[in-house]
Amino acid sequence: MPEAVLPFLLREVDPRAPWVAGLPYQYLAACGSTNEMLKRGAGALPSGATVVTDEQSAGRGRLRRTWMSGPAKDLTFSVLARPSLAPSQAHLLSLCAALAVAEVIEKMPGLQDRVGIK
């Protein structure tokens, strides 16, 4: 549950650092990987930068597994975050974000019991 993980993550965030998830925002109709797109520009982008696509052909998941996302099938996006977490704790951030997004979406009409996390 996000509320169990979020307090742990929030105390790791520098309160002086401004952070807005979703800005700047870049939309691509299709790309290989939203994560790769962010990595390419990470040096010049602020935390919170987001890349969204309708179709992803070279996504990578845990354990270097690859996957694809077709149009109108998934929410496919990446958000640049620079938390001060140990590498062994980084998975908590992804888990918390995935759970939070899933909880919001499954409250939308017609989507109950249709939301999953991959």
Side-chain angles (χ1 to χ4, degrees):
M1 307 217 38
E3 53 271 6
V5 178
L6 196 54
F8 170 76
L9 294 173
L10 288 179
R11 74 170 183 244
E12 300 295 329
V13 174
D14 181 353
R16 298 164 294 176
W19 191 80
V20 178
L23 295 176
Y25 173 90
Q26 180 181 15
Y27 167 77
L28 303 167
C31 73
S33 164
T34 56
N35 197 29
E36 283 300 317
M37 297 300 294
L38 274 181
K39 282 183 182 181
R40 287 183 200 156
L45 293 170
S47 288
T50 301
V51 175
V52 178
T53 190
D54 287 327
E55 186 174 0
Q56 183 167 265
S57 60
R60 287 191 330 231
R62 293 178 51 240
L63 305 175
R64 300 196 187 277
R65 293 184 179 128
T66 59
W67 54 276
M68 297 183 305
S69 175
K73 184 177 178 235
D74 305 307
L75 288 178
T76 310
F77 63 94
S78 295
V79 177
L80 179 61
R82 294 185 176 103
S84 55
L85 294 173
S88 63
Q89 299 170 325
H91 69 284
L92 295 174
L93 185 57
S94 294
L95 176 60
C96 184
L99 287 170
V101 169
E103 284 183 356
V104 169
I105 293 172
E106 70 185 0
K107 291 178 183 173
M108 298 175 78
L111 294 181
Q112 296 83 358
D113 301 321
R114 295 184 61 200
V115 176
I117 297 173
K118 184 174 183 177

Short mmCIF file of all heavy atoms in Angstrom, two decimals, residues 4-38:
data_model
loop_
_atom_site.label_atom_id
_atom_site.label_comp_id
_atom_site.label_asym_id
_atom_site.label_seq_id
_atom_site.Cartn_x
_atom_site.Cartn_y
_atom_site.Cartn_z
N ALA A 4 1.88 3.02 3.19
CA ALA A 4 2.86 2.36 4.05
C ALA A 4 4.29 2.71 3.64
O ALA A 4 5.18 2.77 4.47
CB ALA A 4 2.67 0.85 4.02
N VAL A 5 4.51 2.96 2.36
CA VAL A 5 5.84 3.23 1.84
C VAL A 5 6.13 4.72 1.75
O VAL A 5 7.25 5.16 1.97
CB VAL A 5 6.00 2.57 0.45
CG1 VAL A 5 7.36 2.87 -0.13
CG2 VAL A 5 5.78 1.08 0.55
N LEU A 6 5.10 5.52 1.45
CA LEU A 6 5.29 6.95 1.21
C LEU A 6 5.97 7.70 2.35
O LEU A 6 6.90 8.47 2.09
CB LEU A 6 3.95 7.59 0.85
CG LEU A 6 4.01 8.95 0.20
CD1 LEU A 6 4.89 8.95 -1.03
CD2 LEU A 6 2.63 9.43 -0.15
N PRO A 7 5.59 7.51 3.61
CA PRO A 7 6.29 8.26 4.68
C PRO A 7 7.79 7.98 4.70
O PRO A 7 8.60 8.86 4.94
CB PRO A 7 5.62 7.76 5.97
CG PRO A 7 4.28 7.31 5.53
CD PRO A 7 4.48 6.75 4.14
N PHE A 8 8.18 6.75 4.42
CA PHE A 8 9.59 6.39 4.38
C PHE A 8 10.29 7.16 3.26
O PHE A 8 11.38 7.70 3.43
CB PHE A 8 9.74 4.89 4.16
CG PHE A 8 11.14 4.47 3.87
CD1 PHE A 8 12.09 4.40 4.88
CD2 PHE A 8 11.53 4.16 2.58
CE1 PHE A 8 13.38 4.03 4.60
CE2 PHE A 8 12.82 3.78 2.29
CZ PHE A 8 13.75 3.71 3.31
N LEU A 9 9.66 7.22 2.07
CA LEU A 9 10.26 7.90 0.94
C LEU A 9 10.31 9.40 1.14
O LEU A 9 11.28 10.05 0.77
CB LEU A 9 9.49 7.57 -0.34
CG LEU A 9 9.56 6.12 -0.79
CD1 LEU A 9 8.63 5.90 -1.97
CD2 LEU A 9 10.98 5.73 -1.15
N LEU A 10 9.27 9.98 1.71
CA LEU A 10 9.21 11.43 1.85
C LEU A 10 10.28 11.98 2.78
O LEU A 10 10.76 13.08 2.59
CB LEU A 10 7.82 11.87 2.33
CG LEU A 10 6.73 11.75 1.27
CD1 LEU A 10 5.39 12.18 1.86
CD2 LEU A 10 7.05 12.58 0.04
N ARG A 11 10.67 11.23 3.76
CA ARG A 11 11.72 11.76 4.64
C ARG A 11 13.08 11.75 3.94
O ARG A 11 14.03 12.34 4.41
CB ARG A 11 11.74 11.01 5.96
CG ARG A 11 12.31 9.65 5.91
CD ARG A 11 12.51 9.12 7.33
NE ARG A 11 13.11 7.83 7.22
CZ ARG A 11 12.56 6.71 7.60
NH1 ARG A 11 11.40 6.71 8.20
NH2 ARG A 11 13.16 5.57 7.42
N GLU A 12 13.17 11.09 2.78
CA GLU A 12 14.40 11.08 2.00
C GLU A 12 14.46 12.24 1.01
O GLU A 12 15.47 12.46 0.38
CB GLU A 12 14.52 9.76 1.23
CG GLU A 12 14.55 8.51 2.10
CD GLU A 12 15.78 8.46 2.99
OE1 GLU A 12 16.83 8.97 2.59
OE2 GLU A 12 15.67 7.90 4.09
N VAL A 13 13.38 12.97 0.84
CA VAL A 13 13.32 14.06 -0.13
C VAL A 13 13.82 15.34 0.51
O VAL A 13 13.45 15.68 1.63
CB VAL A 13 11.87 14.25 -0.64
CG1 VAL A 13 11.76 15.45 -1.55
CG2 VAL A 13 11.41 12.99 -1.35
N ASP A 14 14.66 16.07 -0.20
CA ASP A 14 15.16 17.36 0.28
C ASP A 14 14.02 18.37 0.23
O ASP A 14 13.53 18.70 -0.85
CB ASP A 14 16.32 17.81 -0.60
CG ASP A 14 16.92 19.14 -0.16
OD1 ASP A 14 16.37 19.79 0.75
OD2 ASP A 14 17.95 19.52 -0.74
N PRO A 15 13.56 18.88 1.38
CA PRO A 15 12.42 19.80 1.39
C PRO A 15 12.69 21.13 0.69
O PRO A 15 11.78 21.84 0.33
CB PRO A 15 12.14 20.01 2.88
CG PRO A 15 13.41 19.68 3.56
CD PRO A 15 14.11 18.66 2.70
N ARG A 16 13.96 21.45 0.46
CA ARG A 16 14.29 22.71 -0.23
C ARG A 16 14.26 22.56 -1.75
O ARG A 16 14.28 23.54 -2.47
CB ARG A 16 15.68 23.18 0.19
CG ARG A 16 15.77 23.49 1.69
CD ARG A 16 17.20 23.55 2.12
NE ARG A 16 17.73 22.18 1.96
CZ ARG A 16 18.98 21.84 2.15
NH1 ARG A 16 19.87 22.72 2.47
NH2 ARG A 16 19.38 20.59 1.99
N ALA A 17 14.22 21.34 -2.22
CA ALA A 17 14.26 21.11 -3.67
C ALA A 17 12.86 21.14 -4.25
O ALA A 17 11.99 20.38 -3.82
CB ALA A 17 14.91 19.75 -3.95
N PRO A 18 12.61 22.03 -5.22
CA PRO A 18 11.28 22.05 -5.85
C PRO A 18 11.12 20.82 -6.73
O PRO A 18 12.06 20.40 -7.40
CB PRO A 18 11.31 23.33 -6.69
CG PRO A 18 12.75 23.58 -6.95
CD PRO A 18 13.50 23.03 -5.77
N TRP A 19 9.95 20.25 -6.71
CA TRP A 19 9.70 19.05 -7.50
C TRP A 19 8.25 19.05 -7.94
O TRP A 19 7.34 19.16 -7.13
CB TRP A 19 10.00 17.81 -6.67
CG TRP A 19 10.02 16.56 -7.49
CD1 TRP A 19 11.03 16.12 -8.28
CD2 TRP A 19 8.98 15.59 -7.61
NE1 TRP A 19 10.69 14.94 -8.87
CE2 TRP A 19 9.44 14.59 -8.47
CE3 TRP A 19 7.72 15.47 -7.06
CZ2 TRP A 19 8.68 13.48 -8.81
CZ3 TRP A 19 6.95 14.37 -7.40
CH2 TRP A 19 7.45 13.38 -8.26
N VAL A 20 8.05 18.96 -9.23
CA VAL A 20 6.71 18.88 -9.77
C VAL A 20 6.68 17.70 -10.74
O VAL A 20 7.33 17.74 -11.78
CB VAL A 20 6.32 20.18 -10.52
CG1 VAL A 20 4.93 20.05 -11.11
CG2 VAL A 20 6.40 21.37 -9.59
N ALA A 21 5.97 16.65 -10.38
CA ALA A 21 5.86 15.49 -11.26
C ALA A 21 5.06 15.88 -12.49
O ALA A 21 4.01 16.49 -12.39
CB ALA A 21 5.19 14.34 -10.54
N GLY A 22 5.59 15.57 -13.65
CA GLY A 22 4.89 15.82 -14.89
C GLY A 22 5.35 17.04 -15.65
O GLY A 22 4.90 17.29 -16.76
N LEU A 23 6.29 17.80 -15.09
CA LEU A 23 6.79 18.99 -15.79
C LEU A 23 8.31 18.97 -15.85
O LEU A 23 8.94 18.70 -14.83
CB LEU A 23 6.33 20.26 -15.08
CG LEU A 23 4.83 20.50 -15.08
CD1 LEU A 23 4.51 21.73 -14.26
CD2 LEU A 23 4.29 20.65 -16.50
N PRO A 24 8.90 19.25 -16.95
CA PRO A 24 8.29 19.43 -18.25
C PRO A 24 7.73 18.10 -18.77
O PRO A 24 8.15 17.03 -18.36
CB PRO A 24 9.42 19.95 -19.13
CG PRO A 24 10.66 19.42 -18.50
CD PRO A 24 10.37 19.37 -17.02
N TYR A 25 6.81 18.22 -19.72
CA TYR A 25 6.06 17.09 -20.24
C TYR A 25 6.36 16.94 -21.72
O TYR A 25 6.31 17.91 -22.46
CB TYR A 25 4.57 17.38 -20.03
CG TYR A 25 3.62 16.40 -20.66
CD1 TYR A 25 3.20 15.30 -19.94
CD2 TYR A 25 3.12 16.61 -21.93
CE1 TYR A 25 2.30 14.40 -20.50
CE2 TYR A 25 2.21 15.73 -22.49
CZ TYR A 25 1.81 14.62 -21.77
OH TYR A 25 0.92 13.73 -22.31
N GLN A 26 6.67 15.71 -22.14
CA GLN A 26 6.90 15.45 -23.56
C GLN A 26 6.03 14.27 -23.98
O GLN A 26 6.07 13.21 -23.35
CB GLN A 26 8.37 15.13 -23.84
CG GLN A 26 8.63 14.85 -25.30
CD GLN A 26 10.09 14.50 -25.59
OE1 GLN A 26 10.86 14.19 -24.68
NE2 GLN A 26 10.46 14.54 -26.85
N TYR A 27 5.26 14.46 -25.05
CA TYR A 27 4.43 13.39 -25.60
C TYR A 27 5.03 12.92 -26.92
O TYR A 27 5.39 13.73 -27.77
CB TYR A 27 3.00 13.87 -25.84
CG TYR A 27 2.21 12.90 -26.69
CD1 TYR A 27 1.72 11.73 -26.14
CD2 TYR A 27 2.01 13.15 -28.04
CE1 TYR A 27 1.03 10.82 -26.91
CE2 TYR A 27 1.31 12.25 -28.82
CZ TYR A 27 0.83 11.08 -28.26
OH TYR A 27 0.16 10.18 -29.03
N LEU A 28 5.13 11.60 -27.08
CA LEU A 28 5.59 10.99 -28.32
C LEU A 28 4.54 9.97 -28.74
O LEU A 28 4.12 9.15 -27.92
CB LEU A 28 6.93 10.28 -28.12
CG LEU A 28 8.07 11.13 -27.57
CD1 LEU A 28 9.22 10.26 -27.12
CD2 LEU A 28 8.52 12.11 -28.63
N ALA A 29 4.10 10.01 -29.97
CA ALA A 29 3.10 9.04 -30.44
C ALA A 29 3.63 7.61 -30.29
O ALA A 29 2.89 6.71 -29.91
CB ALA A 29 2.73 9.32 -31.89
N ALA A 30 4.92 7.41 -30.56
CA ALA A 30 5.55 6.09 -30.42
C ALA A 30 7.03 6.30 -30.14
O ALA A 30 7.62 7.30 -30.55
CB ALA A 30 5.37 5.28 -31.69
N CYS A 31 7.60 5.38 -29.40
CA CYS A 31 9.05 5.42 -29.15
C CYS A 31 9.50 4.03 -28.74
O CYS A 31 8.69 3.15 -28.48
CB CYS A 31 9.40 6.46 -28.09
SG CYS A 31 8.96 6.04 -26.40
N GLY A 32 10.81 3.85 -28.69
CA GLY A 32 11.34 2.59 -28.23
C GLY A 32 11.10 2.41 -26.74
O GLY A 32 10.55 1.41 -26.30
N SER A 33 11.51 3.41 -25.96
CA SER A 33 11.41 3.33 -24.50
C SER A 33 11.33 4.73 -23.91
O SER A 33 12.21 5.56 -24.16
CB SER A 33 12.64 2.61 -23.95
OG SER A 33 12.79 2.81 -22.57
N THR A 34 10.30 4.99 -23.12
CA THR A 34 10.19 6.29 -22.46
C THR A 34 11.35 6.49 -21.48
O THR A 34 11.85 7.60 -21.33
CB THR A 34 8.85 6.44 -21.71
OG1 THR A 34 8.70 5.36 -20.77
CG2 THR A 34 7.68 6.45 -22.68
N ASN A 35 11.77 5.42 -20.86
CA ASN A 35 12.88 5.50 -19.92
C ASN A 35 14.17 5.90 -20.64
O ASN A 35 14.92 6.75 -20.15
CB ASN A 35 13.05 4.15 -19.21
CG ASN A 35 13.88 4.26 -17.96
OD1 ASN A 35 13.92 5.30 -17.32
ND2 ASN A 35 14.55 3.18 -17.61
N GLU A 36 14.42 5.31 -21.79
CA GLU A 36 15.61 5.67 -22.56
C GLU A 36 15.55 7.12 -23.01
O GLU A 36 16.57 7.81 -23.03
CB GLU A 36 15.79 4.74 -23.76
CG GLU A 36 16.34 3.39 -23.40
CD GLU A 36 17.71 3.45 -22.73
OE1 GLU A 36 18.58 4.23 -23.19
OE2 GLU A 36 17.91 2.74 -21.74
N MET A 37 14.37 7.60 -23.39
CA MET A 37 14.23 8.99 -23.81
C MET A 37 14.61 9.93 -22.66
O MET A 37 15.29 10.93 -22.86
CB MET A 37 12.80 9.28 -24.27
CG MET A 37 12.37 8.49 -25.50
SD MET A 37 13.39 8.79 -26.96
CE MET A 37 13.01 10.49 -27.30
N LEU A 38 14.17 9.61 -21.45
CA LEU A 38 14.53 10.44 -20.29
C LEU A 38 16.02 10.36 -19.98
O LEU A 38 16.64 11.36 -19.65
CB LEU A 38 13.73 10.02 -19.06
CG LEU A 38 12.37 10.65 -18.89
CD1 LEU A 38 11.70 10.15 -17.62
CD2 LEU A 38 12.42 12.16 -18.88
#
